[in-house]
Amino acid sequence: MRRTNLSIADARKIALAAQGFDRPRPVTTADIRHFRRVFANLALLQLDYVNVLMPAHFVIPWSRLGAYDRTRFEKYIYGSGECTEQWAHEASIVPANAWPLLEHRRRAHEMGKHNPLRRMRNRTAYLDAALEQVEKQGPLTANDLPPVPGPRRKPGDWHRSIPRWALEYHFARGSLVVANRLPNFQRVYDLPERVIPPEHLSQSFDKPDAQRELLRRAAAALGIATLQDLADYFRMSARDIAPLLDDLVDSGNVSAVRVESWGEQAYLSADARLPRRIAGESLLSPFDPVVWFRPRALRLFDFHYRIEIYVPAGKRKWGYYVLPFRVGDQLVARVDLKADRQNRKLLVLAVHEEPQMKQGACIEALARELLNLKSWLEFDEVRVTRHNRISRQLAAVMP
């Protein structure tokens, strides 16, 4: 696509197409080909286990694929050899071929100053023993290691046992990988050579080459982006990657363009697609790449987004766990959702419209999406709290 100037509408379509929203959801149940396509588009899947609705990394594929078999998806992630957990954006699932690209981060990892392992007299021996147990016994969880007294917990502290600290340290350094997740989301650790395909283990990149490829993947996943957008995708320093971005421009992997109303230089991926239109609707996880970098969501969609989980209840403007709602190439509403698993109900606690919401069509689209989500969660009912005029209109069209 040879362009030097883009309208904001075209930029939105390019961004959504890069994330796979230019294709309709599969008519049949999603299979491994569809899972591969999601990873080809996104390059990574940020993990988040807040379970108010569904862990966020399961919602992200659903936004693109509709109802899929979660068990089948997890088998693909942890059993196919095509994916691995790594620190990428945050804790993320990435294609296994990203393993060598992140090696420089694993090498650079140092024990944090608040890590209680720092205060262990026999720290090195303990870490060596934990690794040896995995080598001899195979995959294990933190509960399989001998318990060790840790620091006294303070009220409200998030707890991580000493064995968990040890295994997480080995994971961050690359001595261990995550081989699986238990139903309670607990990590199962194993040696890299028993999980990562050998062709990726044997491959190596120096840091600039690795960062250059991560930057190229970020550009392809975003379609159209600024330097800060690109840096955020794999959590790199904008200062460090600026010269590498120039390299990608010189090689033709990206091109410098101008986008209407953007005050910053934009970069268009050579892989970018500009469809005539973006169709359909989808609820988006708070950790979806479309909205996770808040300045970009504001710049692209005029959508000021903030997750209010940690905001005191009385100070929340939108709700506890709010999902943006997309219709076409616009974000038209915010929906505060909660899964009532005991009573098999999908609770719509609040709906807030955006200025670009065309009420009749968008409300009907939201009703369809909520019914699709209810069916995927295997619930019996969507229960709408009549919080305001929009939610009352939504309740009126729900079957």
Side-chain angles (χ1 to χ4, degrees), residues 126-140:
Y126 180 74
L127 288 170
D128 289 347
L131 194 57
E132 184 178 359
Q133 186 169 338
V134 180
E135 291 172 351
K136 291 181 176 179
Q137 297 183 14
L140 53 74

mmCIF file of all heavy atoms in Angstrom, residues 126-140:
data_model
loop_
_atom_site.group_PDB
_atom_site.id
_atom_site.type_symbol
_atom_site.label_atom_id
_atom_site.label_comp_id
_atom_site.label_asym_id
_atom_site.label_seq_id
_atom_site.Cartn_x
_atom_site.Cartn_y
_atom_site.Cartn_z
ATOM 1 N N TYR A 126 19.554 -23.305 46.999
ATOM 2 C CA TYR A 126 18.108 -23.549 46.904
ATOM 3 C C TYR A 126 17.634 -23.466 45.450
ATOM 4 O O TYR A 126 16.869 -24.319 44.990
ATOM 5 C CB TYR A 126 17.351 -22.538 47.760
ATOM 6 C CG TYR A 126 15.856 -22.725 47.710
ATOM 7 C CD1 TYR A 126 15.250 -23.788 48.372
ATOM 8 C CD2 TYR A 126 15.055 -21.855 46.975
ATOM 9 C CE1 TYR A 126 13.871 -23.979 48.311
ATOM 10 C CE2 TYR A 126 13.686 -22.043 46.904
ATOM 11 C CZ TYR A 126 13.099 -23.104 47.579
ATOM 12 O OH TYR A 126 11.741 -23.294 47.498
ATOM 13 N N LEU A 127 18.099 -22.469 44.726
ATOM 14 C CA LEU A 127 17.710 -22.336 43.324
ATOM 15 C C LEU A 127 18.222 -23.516 42.500
ATOM 16 O O LEU A 127 17.503 -24.038 41.634
ATOM 17 C CB LEU A 127 18.250 -21.021 42.758
ATOM 18 C CG LEU A 127 17.565 -19.744 43.248
ATOM 19 C CD1 LEU A 127 18.354 -18.509 42.812
ATOM 20 C CD2 LEU A 127 16.139 -19.659 42.736
ATOM 21 N N ASP A 128 19.440 -23.944 42.776
ATOM 22 C CA ASP A 128 19.989 -25.103 42.056
ATOM 23 C C ASP A 128 19.178 -26.363 42.354
ATOM 24 O O ASP A 128 18.911 -27.172 41.454
ATOM 25 C CB ASP A 128 21.447 -25.322 42.447
ATOM 26 C CG ASP A 128 22.375 -24.252 41.881
ATOM 27 O OD1 ASP A 128 21.935 -23.492 40.994
ATOM 28 O OD2 ASP A 128 23.532 -24.168 42.343
ATOM 29 N N ALA A 129 18.770 -26.511 43.608
ATOM 30 C CA ALA A 129 18.000 -27.702 43.994
ATOM 31 C C ALA A 129 16.628 -27.707 43.321
ATOM 32 O O ALA A 129 16.132 -28.761 42.910
ATOM 33 C CB ALA A 129 17.857 -27.750 45.514
ATOM 34 N N ALA A 130 16.008 -26.533 43.218
ATOM 35 C CA ALA A 130 14.698 -26.448 42.558
ATOM 36 C C ALA A 130 14.816 -26.852 41.096
ATOM 37 O O ALA A 130 13.989 -27.615 40.562
ATOM 38 C CB ALA A 130 14.143 -25.034 42.684
ATOM 39 N N LEU A 131 15.852 -26.367 40.430
ATOM 40 C CA LEU A 131 16.058 -26.709 39.022
ATOM 41 C C LEU A 131 16.371 -28.200 38.859
ATOM 42 O O LEU A 131 15.870 -28.854 37.936
ATOM 43 C CB LEU A 131 17.206 -25.853 38.467
ATOM 44 C CG LEU A 131 17.375 -25.810 36.946
ATOM 45 C CD1 LEU A 131 16.114 -25.325 36.266
ATOM 46 C CD2 LEU A 131 18.559 -24.922 36.586
ATOM 47 N N GLU A 132 17.155 -28.747 39.775
ATOM 48 C CA GLU A 132 17.496 -30.165 39.713
ATOM 49 C C GLU A 132 16.255 -31.042 39.897
ATOM 50 O O GLU A 132 16.127 -32.088 39.260
ATOM 51 C CB GLU A 132 18.529 -30.493 40.781
ATOM 52 C CG GLU A 132 19.021 -31.928 40.733
ATOM 53 C CD GLU A 132 20.086 -32.210 41.782
ATOM 54 O OE1 GLU A 132 20.457 -31.278 42.526
ATOM 55 O OE2 GLU A 132 20.531 -33.370 41.869
ATOM 56 N N GLN A 133 15.319 -30.586 40.748
ATOM 57 C CA GLN A 133 14.105 -31.368 40.951
ATOM 58 C C GLN A 133 13.281 -31.436 39.672
ATOM 59 O O GLN A 133 12.705 -32.474 39.337
ATOM 60 C CB GLN A 133 13.275 -30.771 42.092
ATOM 61 C CG GLN A 133 12.067 -31.628 42.462
ATOM 62 C CD GLN A 133 11.417 -31.183 43.755
ATOM 63 O OE1 GLN A 133 12.040 -30.527 44.595
ATOM 64 N NE2 GLN A 133 10.139 -31.529 43.926
ATOM 65 N N VAL A 134 13.217 -30.328 38.940
ATOM 66 C CA VAL A 134 12.507 -30.341 37.655
ATOM 67 C C VAL A 134 13.218 -31.273 36.679
ATOM 68 O O VAL A 134 12.578 -32.053 35.967
ATOM 69 C CB VAL A 134 12.397 -28.927 37.064
ATOM 70 C CG1 VAL A 134 11.659 -28.959 35.734
ATOM 71 C CG2 VAL A 134 11.699 -27.982 38.028
ATOM 72 N N GLU A 135 14.533 -31.215 36.635
ATOM 73 C CA GLU A 135 15.297 -32.064 35.722
ATOM 74 C C GLU A 135 15.023 -33.538 35.982
ATOM 75 O O GLU A 135 14.861 -34.333 35.042
ATOM 76 C CB GLU A 135 16.797 -31.777 35.877
ATOM 77 C CG GLU A 135 17.221 -30.409 35.371
ATOM 78 C CD GLU A 135 18.667 -30.079 35.706
ATOM 79 O OE1 GLU A 135 19.279 -30.846 36.487
ATOM 80 O OE2 GLU A 135 19.182 -29.069 35.201
ATOM 81 N N LYS A 136 14.948 -33.917 37.244
ATOM 82 C CA LYS A 136 14.807 -35.328 37.603
ATOM 83 C C LYS A 136 13.367 -35.807 37.580
ATOM 84 O O LYS A 136 13.086 -36.941 37.186
ATOM 85 C CB LYS A 136 15.416 -35.574 38.985
ATOM 86 C CG LYS A 136 16.934 -35.438 39.027
ATOM 87 C CD LYS A 136 17.472 -35.726 40.414
ATOM 88 C CE LYS A 136 18.999 -35.693 40.441
ATOM 89 N NZ LYS A 136 19.524 -35.951 41.808
ATOM 90 N N GLN A 137 12.440 -34.951 38.037
ATOM 91 C CA GLN A 137 11.060 -35.401 38.224
ATOM 92 C C GLN A 137 10.125 -34.985 37.099
ATOM 93 O O GLN A 137 9.000 -35.473 37.018
ATOM 94 C CB GLN A 137 10.522 -34.875 39.557
ATOM 95 C CG GLN A 137 11.277 -35.400 40.762
ATOM 96 C CD GLN A 137 10.695 -34.922 42.075
ATOM 97 O OE1 GLN A 137 9.578 -34.393 42.125
ATOM 98 N NE2 GLN A 137 11.444 -35.093 43.150
ATOM 99 N N GLY A 138 10.545 -34.068 36.249
ATOM 100 C CA GLY A 138 9.678 -33.618 35.178
ATOM 101 C C GLY A 138 8.842 -32.425 35.593
ATOM 102 O O GLY A 138 9.108 -31.779 36.620
ATOM 103 N N PRO A 139 7.811 -32.099 34.822
ATOM 104 C CA PRO A 139 7.015 -30.893 35.067
ATOM 105 C C PRO A 139 6.461 -30.854 36.497
ATOM 106 O O PRO A 139 5.989 -31.877 37.013
ATOM 107 C CB PRO A 139 5.887 -30.993 34.046
ATOM 108 C CG PRO A 139 6.405 -31.908 32.988
ATOM 109 C CD PRO A 139 7.304 -32.873 33.672
ATOM 110 N N LEU A 140 6.512 -29.671 37.107
ATOM 111 C CA LEU A 140 5.980 -29.531 38.459
ATOM 112 C C LEU A 140 5.477 -28.117 38.694
ATOM 113 O O LEU A 140 5.775 -27.184 37.943
ATOM 114 C CB LEU A 140 7.019 -29.930 39.505
ATOM 115 C CG LEU A 140 8.421 -29.294 39.476
ATOM 116 C CD1 LEU A 140 8.416 -27.856 39.953
ATOM 117 C CD2 LEU A 140 9.372 -30.098 40.359
#
